[in-house]
Amino acid sequence: EGFTSPSSLLSVICTASPCATDTEHTIGTLRTGFQLRGKPMQPPYFVEERQTDLDAAQKAERLANRPVLPQKWTPDHVKQWFAKVANGAFEKVAERIPSSTDGKMLTRMPENRFIQLCGDEKAGRALFRLLHEEMDLCKQAQKENNPKPGRGRAQTGH
């Protein structure tokens, strides 16, 4: 009588499994829940079936968040770094280097070249130090994001 009486109310609770192996079962449960409404399934009440490779999505997220080593910077990365380092204090220095200067070229420059670019010994040394600090930070972040196999685990003998 609860299904057919116009004055009765019916509540349906469908549970969905987060497990990929239960996808077909979950879809069947949701379809049954929609059918119990007593109306045909039609837009906007349709089920979109989609699977996502979580490993690939997680890897893409890790890659997106991984810092780029200064040695691999493009000329645009170099200009952006000059614009943001020390709150933009060295932005004008970027105008003094060739526009094709990439990260590999920048990281190979000696400290004296930074002093020459800045026109001031103290500022040049500071800029050189900031670049090398950036390199160290990126290397450390990459080590944390990509731990070597076997680290932190007990080694087993054969």
Side-chain angles (χ1 to χ4, degrees):
E1 189 176 319
F3 286 102
T4 57
S5 174
S7 62
S8 65
L9 296 175
L10 177 65
S11 294
V12 177
I13 298 174
C14 297
T15 57
S17 172
C19 206
T21 57
D22 295 329
T23 303
E24 293 300 319
H25 187 272
T26 298
I27 291 170
T29 300
L30 293 172
R31 282 192 179 127
T32 302
F34 275 107
Q35 290 171 350
L36 287 173
R37 291 178 56 244
K39 298 177 185 172
M41 258 178 43
Q42 57 187 358
Y45 305 107
F46 61 89
V47 178
E48 178 182 334
E49 296 179 28
R50 178 174 49 148
Q51 282 189 320
T52 303
D53 183 358
L54 292 179
D55 289 336
Q58 289 171 342
K59 184 177 180 182
E61 184 178 336
R62 279 195 313 271
L63 289 174
N65 293 330
R66 187 177 69 195
V68 177
L69 288 171
Q71 294 89 330
K72 299 191 182 276
W73 286 349
T74 65
D76 286 336
H77 283 122
V78 170
K79 288 178 185 142
Q80 290 170 8
W81 181 77
F82 274 108
K84 75 173 185 171
V85 70
N87 296 318
F90 296 101
E91 191 169 13
K92 297 283 184 195
V93 176
E95 297 170 6
R96 296 185 193 127
I97 62 172
S99 61
S100 62
T101 301
D102 61 11
K104 191 173 190 178
M105 294 165 64
L106 184 69
T107 57
R108 289 182 175 179
M109 287 183 187
E111 187 177 41
N112 288 338
R113 178 67 173 131
F114 283 86
I115 293 169
Q116 182 185 26
L117 287 169
C118 291
D120 176 71
E121 185 172 347
K122 186 177 178 182
R125 289 183 190 278
L127 183 59
F128 182 80
R129 181 181 43 79
L130 288 167
L131 176 62
H132 285 268
E133 285 174 5
E134 181 77 18
M135 291 164 59
D136 292 340
L137 287 171
C138 288
K139 284 179 189 174
Q140 182 62 35
Q142 282 196 337
K143 283 181 186 176
E144 290 171 6
N145 289 339
N146 301 318
K148 294 199 177 188
R151 278 198 178 170
R153 296 185 181 142
Q155 299 293 326
T156 58
H158 295 281

